[in-house]
Each structure stands twice: as structure tokens, then as C-alpha cells.
Amino acid sequence: MIPGGGQPNMQQLLQQAQKMQQDLARAQEELAATEVDGQAGGGLVRATVTGSGELRGLVIDPEAVDLEDTETLADLIVAAVQAANDNAQQLQQAKLGPLAQGMGGMPGLGF
């Protein structure tokens, strides 16, 4: 219901929903095309992921490679990928958060 007891204009609501859908699709495309980095071990291992979380690259400094201690290298890789994914999530929140908040402004839909 709209405050004051009026009925929502369904055509207007549909247009708002379509615009939000287009905005969301555009933001998702931008996220998929944007790359963010994460690093571990003071930059010995660097990971690159897209804003949508796809791993695109991994750079390992030769100093991080110790054949007798591969566990540490594995830990550094996991930490770098996690840091990159954390950055991707922050980017997602920055891009998609305002769109989700816009849903709250659609009268008559109960958001």
C-alpha cells in the first residue's frame, strides 16, 4: 500500500523494476570485467580475481618457493586468493549495494 491509502501505479512499478533489472545487469557486467588484487607474504604471492570472484591470475615470487616447505607456499596462495576475494566482495557491495537499497524505495511492493 502507498501511504495515504492510494493504489500503486502498476505501469510505473513495472518501469521501475525494469530499470532496476537493467542497472543490476550492467553492474554485474562491470564486476565481471573489473579485476582486483590480493597479496600475502608481503607481496610474495599475488592473486588477481574479477569483481565477480573469478580467479584470473596468480604470481608467485621465486623467493616464496622452498621445495622443503611447500605448506607455507600453499598457505600464502590461499591467503592471497582470500584477500583478493575479500576485495572483490567489497567491490560487489559498493556496486550492488545502492541497487539493493533502491528496492526499498518501491512503494507497493513491500520491500
Side-chain angles (χ1 to χ4, degrees):
M1 291 297 274
I2 293 179
Q7 293 295 317
N9 178 332
M10 292 307 287
Q11 183 66 27
Q12 185 179 18
L13 288 175
L14 286 174
Q15 287 174 345
Q16 286 177 331
Q18 284 179 326
K19 182 181 180 328
M20 286 179 56
Q21 216 171 16
Q22 291 168 348
D23 292 345
L24 180 60
R26 192 174 309 115
Q28 288 172 329
E29 288 173 9
E30 288 176 20
L31 285 171
T34 303
E35 293 183 348
V36 294
D37 294 320
Q39 63 178 340
L44 290 175
V45 177
R46 295 183 312 274
T48 301
V49 300
T50 64
S52 57
E54 178 186 347
L55 181 62
R56 287 277 177 94
L58 188 62
V59 177
I60 301 170
D61 187 301
E63 289 183 32
V65 180
D66 178 353
L67 297 179
E68 299 197 17
D69 185 15
T70 57
E71 284 183 37
T72 298
L73 178 57
D75 289 343
L76 290 173
I77 292 169
V78 169
V81 171
Q82 184 59 50
N85 280 328
D86 289 346
N87 290 336
Q89 283 184 334
Q90 290 175 7
L91 181 63
Q92 288 171 6
Q93 289 174 352
K95 289 267 186 200
L96 301 177
L99 294 174
Q101 291 173 356
M103 290 179 170
M106 296 185 67
L109 294 183
F111 290 109

